[in-house]
Amino acid sequence: STFRALEASLGLSPRDLATLAMCQAAAACIAAPLFGILVDRGCPSKWVLVCGSASWGILTALLAYANNYWQMMVLRTLNGVALSTLMPVSQAVIAQLTQPHERGAYFGYCGACLMFGTLVCSLGATAVSNKTILGNDGWRVAFLVVALLSLVLSLLLAAYMPGSKNQQWRETTVLSELKLFAGLFTIKSFTVIVIQGCFGSVPWSALSFLTMLFQYVGMPDVEAAML
């Protein structure tokens, strides 16, 4: 949603923007299983979420002050690590706190909130990204707003999310976790989901540049965001 503004403000090419997105996604891909393993082995899921949300907020605030490609790359990579705490841990929390017959509904609510947040942020960030707000680039202001909301979320989680009871740390090794991971591929449905996810994510990554394309052809920012 801010690709066009980053191109104009920092001189980043579409290839640079794609590389930044790749660094963030790769970091999240590598780190997500590690956070999932931590929670499975007894690390309090509440504080993993709190730390992840707070880290995401701080890194996003720092991104608002980035002035070149290399600063963006380092911060986006670290941001990917912070973001990777949210999805696996939140799914584990839902599985722990709900009954089997109601988990589908709660996963659906979680997905709906995710999509709603993405929709609101995309509309808002794109609409202001190329403007100047109080002497600052609009995309920087948008990043700061998202950072503030992330920090507020971390405070709310710390204050109101119930902690896990009787959760004890269990020792593990890298080899045992790799064996467990390899064993999951004996489950056919798991294998199909993984393969589908690998190929299914490709067009969505390409579509992230669609807003930028609409802006290139002269469409106003708000209309481009709505499409």
Side-chain angles (χ1 to χ4, degrees):
S1 57
T2 60
F3 280 177
R4 185 70 182 91
L6 290 173
E7 180 187 46
S9 179
L10 301 182
L12 302 181
S13 67
R15 177 179 293 181
D16 293 334
L17 295 168
T19 302
L20 293 177
M22 181 193 70
C23 289
Q24 178 171 311
C29 180
I30 294 170
L34 301 179
F35 288 113
I37 291 170
L38 281 176
V39 172
D40 286 344
R41 297 310 174 193
C43 187
S45 53
K46 171 181 178 176
W47 296 110
V48 173
L49 286 175
V50 170
C51 292
S53 182
S55 300
W56 179 22
I58 293 169
L59 290 165
T60 303
L62 292 175
L63 276 168
Y65 294 98
N67 291 309
N68 60 60
Y69 173 73
W70 295 107
Q71 291 175 357
M72 278 274 182
M73 177 177 286
V74 172
L75 292 171
R76 286 289 295 271
T77 301
L78 294 174
N79 208 17
V81 175
L83 283 170
S84 69
T85 64
L86 303 181
M87 186 59 71
V89 178
S90 62
Q91 290 179 343
V93 169
I94 291 174
Q96 291 170 0
L97 299 180
T98 60
Q99 298 298 320
H101 66 275
E102 59 186 10
R103 283 176 190 156
Y106 280 101
F107 279 122
Y109 298 148
C110 185
C113 291
L114 174 63
M115 291 298 103
F116 178 76
T118 302
L119 172 65
V120 173
C121 286
S122 296
L123 285 171
T126 305
V128 303
S129 61
N130 287 298
K131 299 182 182 299
T132 300
I133 302 174
L134 300 176
N136 299 295
D137 294 328
W139 65 268
R140 296 182 189 274
V141 175
F143 279 17
L144 287 173
V145 170
V146 172
L148 177 61
L149 292 175
S150 301
L151 293 172
V152 170
L153 174 61
S154 68
L155 292 175
L156 292 175
L157 288 171
Y160 296 108
M161 181 178 174
S164 301
K165 297 180 179 179
N166 301 321
Q167 194 168 13
Q168 297 180 346
W169 178 258
R170 297 185 297 278
E171 296 295 331
T172 187
T173 64
V174 174
L175 183 60
S176 65
E177 292 299 334
L178 289 175
K179 288 182 178 179
L180 178 61
F181 177 69
L184 293 174
F185 286 94
T186 61
I187 305 173
K188 294 181 180 179
S189 57
F190 174 82
T191 304
V192 171
I193 291 172
V194 170
I195 295 174
Q196 183 275 334
C198 291
F199 288 97
S201 62
V202 173
W204 289 109
S205 298
L207 288 173
S208 65
F209 286 88
L210 198 57
T211 301
M212 189 178 186
L213 173 63
F214 292 148
Q215 291 169 313
Y216 269 145
V217 299
M219 191 174 291
D221 292 341
V222 175
E223 293 181 10
M226 291 181 67
L227 287 177

